[in-house]
Amino acid sequence: MNIVKHLEEWLSQERTIQELKAKAKELGLAVKKQMTKNDVRKLIERYVERVKTVQPEEPSQSRPSSSTSSSGQPSLTSQPVREDISIPENYNKDKLVAMPVNPFWIHVYWDLSPANREFLRSHEVRKVVLRVYDVTFIEFDGTNAHRTFEVNIDVSSLKNYYMNVPMPGAHYLAELGYYDSNGNYKHLLRSNLCRVPVNSPSQSTRERWLDLRKRRRIVMPSEGMLTPIVERIGGSIQGLEHLFRISSAGSISVIRLSGKGM
């Protein structure tokens, strides 16, 4: 009996959560404390499915990786199956995303479908550009942006770009486009609306509260400080007396400071 059949028969019987967690740890699976009995069972079942896809079922005697214990049951001494968790080169989907970094920088990244990737390499495209529009408080129609910034990019070697923007607290929109053989600009992908934060304290006078019991936000005008701040300033009892006296010759002589002779 191979490992897959043994695990399937083992799972077909009623098992406690302690037995399931022990078996999962024996297989090299990550078990969390908050997992329920059903969660651990599904974790082992997914492991069995992965083993089926990687290693087809074979007679236990032909597999040198498994051994038989003294009780006659096969011991699970084989190495756990490692999943491929590497990030793919691309997802072959048309996508353009703009994200704020700080008041003066935004990060733009993109992915392209095979069709658009091939099109941008064709002779119909003179150059590919990344545009960023300042669309603060306007309904953008492609031509009415406050300001437009553009940079040439090579989509065969670049997949993201950091753009320096001049206005904090503004709304920006990124666009991946190209110039055709006649020199006309055409957009290919358009990103989400990206708002960069301001570079100064907020001028809002509203108070924002969160009602944890009702799970709702409450916004109300601020009533100001409950206790006005009493400010203190420096000085002296007698004040500054005759700090400077201009002599008849035009020179400056110091006479007294705070009632005391210099």
Side-chain angles (χ1 to χ4, degrees):
M1 184 185 298
N2 60 17
I3 297 178
V4 174
K5 289 184 178 180
H6 172 70
L7 285 175
E8 289 176 343
E9 291 185 4
W10 188 85
L11 288 172
S12 63
Q13 303 174 11
E14 185 63 27
R15 300 292 179 179
T16 64
I17 187 172
Q18 290 79 9
E19 291 176 330
L20 290 170
K21 286 186 175 182
K23 180 63 70 176
K25 291 179 180 179
E26 182 182 347
L27 296 173
L29 304 176
V31 181
K32 300 180 180 178
K33 292 183 178 180
Q34 63 270 24
M35 278 186 167
T36 63
K37 179 179 178 180
N38 192 36
D39 294 335
V40 183
R41 178 178 288 274
K42 289 182 178 179
L43 183 66
I44 300 176
E45 290 174 351
R46 288 195 295 268
Y47 171 83
V48 173
E49 293 299 325
R50 292 197 301 268
V51 174
K52 286 182 179 180
T53 58
V54 176
Q55 298 177 350
E57 296 185 3
E58 296 177 358
S60 58
Q61 60 271 19
S62 62
R63 297 183 58 180
S65 59
S66 62
S67 59
T68 304
S69 63
S70 58
S71 60
Q73 297 293 331
S75 59
L76 304 178
T77 58
S78 61
Q79 294 295 326
V81 179
R82 299 295 180 180
E83 290 186 89
D84 184 11
I85 58 175
S86 60
I87 299 177
E89 185 75 14
N90 53 65
Y91 294 92
N92 296 320
K93 295 181 180 180
D94 290 324
K95 191 171 187 179
L96 182 67
V97 180
M99 302 174 60
V101 179
N102 58 39
F104 296 100
W105 288 89
I106 65 173
H107 177 230
V108 184
Y109 68 91
W110 58 86
D111 192 19
L112 296 171
S113 63
N116 278 332
R117 196 178 296 114
E118 290 298 325
F119 172 74
L120 293 178
R121 297 195 188 103
S122 65
H123 65 278
E124 301 179 26
V125 178
R126 179 180 296 180
K127 63 178 179 178
V128 183
V129 296
L130 176 66
R131 279 190 175 186
V132 172
Y133 300 102
D134 182 352
V135 294
T136 308
F137 303 132
I138 63 172
E139 293 185 5
F140 183 60
D141 60 5
T143 60
N144 59 341
H146 298 300
R147 301 176 70 180
T148 303
F149 312 96
E150 184 178 287
V151 60
N152 298 338
I153 59 171
D154 182 8
V155 292
S156 61
S157 59
L158 290 179
K159 294 182 179 179
N160 65 86
Y161 198 86
Y162 286 88
M163 183 77 76
N164 184 205
V165 291
M167 186 65 65
H171 293 79
Y172 294 98
L173 196 69
E175 197 173 73
L176 189 65
Y178 63 95
Y179 286 90
D180 61 14
S181 57
N182 297 324
N184 300 319
Y185 172 78
K186 297 180 180 179
H187 82 272
L188 189 65
L189 299 176
R190 187 170 289 172
S191 76
N192 56 296
L193 190 64
C194 173
R195 181 184 183 275
V196 295
V198 297
N199 62 340
S200 60
S202 174
Q203 302 297 321
S204 175
T205 58
R206 296 179 298 173
E207 295 180 357
R208 295 173 175 84
W209 298 86
L210 180 62
D211 191 334
L212 297 178
R213 292 183 177 179
K214 298 182 179 180
R215 297 181 178 273
R216 65 186 181 119
R217 295 179 60 190
I218 302 174
V219 182
M220 63 180 67
S222 175
E223 298 179 358
M225 293 178 293
L226 299 179
T227 304
I229 297 177
V230 178
E231 301 184 34
R232 299 181 182 275
I233 58 175
S236 65
I237 299 176
Q238 298 178 346
L240 298 177
E241 299 179 357
H242 310 292
L243 180 60
F244 296 105
R245 177 180 293 176
I246 302 177
S247 63
S248 57
S251 61
I252 299 177
S253 59
V254 179
I255 305 301
R256 288 192 300 171
L257 177 65
S258 299
K260 297 181 180 180
M262 298 296 291

